[in-house]
Amino acid sequence: MMFLRFTIALVCCAIVASFQAKLQMKFEMPTFKKVVTAAIAGVLATSGFNLPSEAITKDQINSLNYLQVKGTGLANRCPEVKSSGAKTIELSSGKKYKITDFCIEPTVFQVEDVVGIKKGEEVKEFVNTKLMTRQTYTLDGISGTVEVKDGKAVFTEEDGIDYAATTVQLPGGARVPFLFSVKNLVAKGTGATLKDGLELGGSFTVPSYRSGLFLDPKGRGMTVGYDFAHALAGRQTGTEEDELFNENNKEFDVFKGEIQLAVKDVNPDDGEFAGVYVSTQPSDTDLGGKEPKQILTKGIFYGHIEAL
């Protein structure tokens, strides 16, 4: 009987100790999270980018065969430049240069969304999102020309994989599709020398996320399909005041986006340069059926330049 009581007492003590440990951990965890969050916020405040943990160079990528790349995610990565010291690539006025293998890899996706209401007005901020697209969102193989005009380098995009269909998910669960693009980009630099600190910025075209042959769930399209939702004929008058007017009258919307690139590393021996970028552009409108949201992406870029 005494042994049974002693055993029960030990079990009770163990339960109480475990509960106290869990309770203490419960109150200590937020403090630990706050410290980590503050540290991460400090790093992102200075850089603002989630750089890949393992850098890979162009030579390393070129040395791999198809089977070595397949399923690893390396095909979605931009190479980085390894350089030591302050190195530069001088661009001469009156000469033309060609940029090839230009690559843009986003690492941060944010969407402007309503976060509250202040004095009766909506307060909007860029919020972090969850990427829903598989590793096919990096723009690669982009090419274009560079000229020096008025003492500043001007890059004009011409060809390559310059757009990619991408979808992200907001914290509330809503999904936002957009066509990540740098199509027809014309970026003007702050100088004529490729070096650490050189910035280039300009606008680009954002085509419609969907083509004219797309049919929505009710069979409506821009060039094919029904003109209106037949099951809801009583709610459609055919005028602009019609609540389904935008849904019925599909449009191929073309918008403009803005991008800023900052060169960080230069390798003049191989004609390579790399850096970070920030881009803003509108999201999909479902062929004019809804208002677009503003998309903010941040990441890294890489390019190779040579004289023509």
Side-chain angles (χ1 to χ4, degrees):
M1 191 68 179
M2 290 292 295
F3 178 75
L4 180 60
R5 290 179 179 177
F6 180 72
T7 304
I8 293 174
L10 285 178
V11 172
C12 291
C13 290
I15 293 174
V16 171
S18 176
F19 177 76
Q20 289 177 343
K22 288 183 178 179
L23 188 62
Q24 182 179 3
M25 183 180 297
K26 181 178 180 182
F27 284 101
E28 289 179 352
M29 282 300 288
T31 305
F32 176 75
K33 286 183 179 180
K34 287 181 180 179
V35 173
V36 175
T37 302
I40 294 176
V43 174
L44 293 180
T46 55
S47 61
F49 305 94
N50 295 333
L51 297 179
S53 56
E54 296 182 3
I56 185 168
T57 64
K58 187 66 174 178
D59 291 336
Q60 290 173 326
I61 293 178
N62 292 337
S63 66
L64 302 175
N65 58 38
Y66 171 76
L67 293 178
Q68 290 174 318
V69 175
K70 180 182 178 183
T72 63
L74 289 176
N76 194 54
R77 292 278 304 278
C78 286
E80 297 184 39
V81 176
K82 289 186 177 180
S83 63
S84 58
K87 296 185 177 181
T88 64
I89 298 178
E90 296 290 341
L91 304 179
S92 303
S93 179
K95 292 184 64 176
K96 252 191 177 184
Y97 298 86
K98 183 79 171 180
I99 287 184
T100 56
D101 297 329
F102 192 66
C103 177
I104 298 179
E105 178 188 348
T107 57
V108 176
F109 297 88
Q110 294 180 321
V111 176
E112 189 179 39
D113 196 22
V114 178
V115 296
I117 298 178
K118 186 176 182 180
K119 296 181 179 179
E121 295 183 358
E122 295 180 343
V123 178
K124 293 185 177 182
E125 292 180 3
F126 283 100
V127 298
N128 292 325
T129 61
K130 178 182 179 182
L131 181 65
M132 306 305 296
T133 302
R134 293 187 178 184
Q135 296 183 337
T136 57
Y137 50 82
T138 292
L139 309 182
D140 197 8
I142 299 172
S143 60
T145 58
V146 176
E147 294 181 84
V148 177
K149 298 179 180 179
D150 299 328
K152 298 180 180 179
V154 179
F155 169 58
T156 304
E157 189 270 340
E158 296 176 345
D159 199 5
I161 304 175
D162 50 14
Y163 65 91
T166 310
T167 301
V168 294
Q169 181 172 291
L170 291 170
R175 295 188 177 182
V176 182
F178 67 100
L179 197 68
F180 179 47
S181 170
V182 289
K183 206 169 192 59
N184 302 325
L185 168 65
V186 178
K188 189 173 184 179
T190 55
T193 303
L194 280 177
K195 62 179 181 179
D196 181 14
L198 175 70
E199 296 182 1
L200 300 98
S203 61
F204 55 87
T205 302
V206 184
S208 175
Y209 182 83
R210 305 189 186 279
S211 69
L213 297 178
F214 172 77
L215 295 178
D216 68 9
K218 296 189 180 300
R220 298 168 296 189
M222 190 170 71
T223 59
V224 295
Y226 295 112
D227 293 330
F228 61 93
H230 287 249
L232 302 173
R235 297 173 58 187
Q236 301 166 87
T237 62
T239 63
E240 293 188 8
E241 290 75 21
D242 186 350
E243 59 180 314
L244 298 179
F245 181 82
N246 291 334
E247 294 286 347
N248 293 335
N249 294 272
K250 307 296 184 182
E251 294 182 357
F252 190 89
D253 291 320
V254 178
F255 298 105
K256 287 290 184 181
E258 297 285 337
I259 189 171
Q260 291 289 330
L261 305 104
V263 177
K264 293 294 182 183
D265 300 296
V266 178
N267 180 3
D269 297 331
D270 297 327
E272 297 177 313
F273 62 96
V276 294
Y277 86 92
V278 178
S279 173
T280 58
Q281 66 168 84
S283 68
D284 170 45
T285 64
D286 200 12
L287 292 176
K290 57 187 178 182
E291 290 296 321
K293 293 180 177 290
Q294 281 298 313
I295 308 293
L296 176 69
T297 64
K298 305 174 185 178
I300 62 175
F301 71 87
Y302 164 90
H304 177 269
I305 188 170
E306 59 185 13
L308 290 176

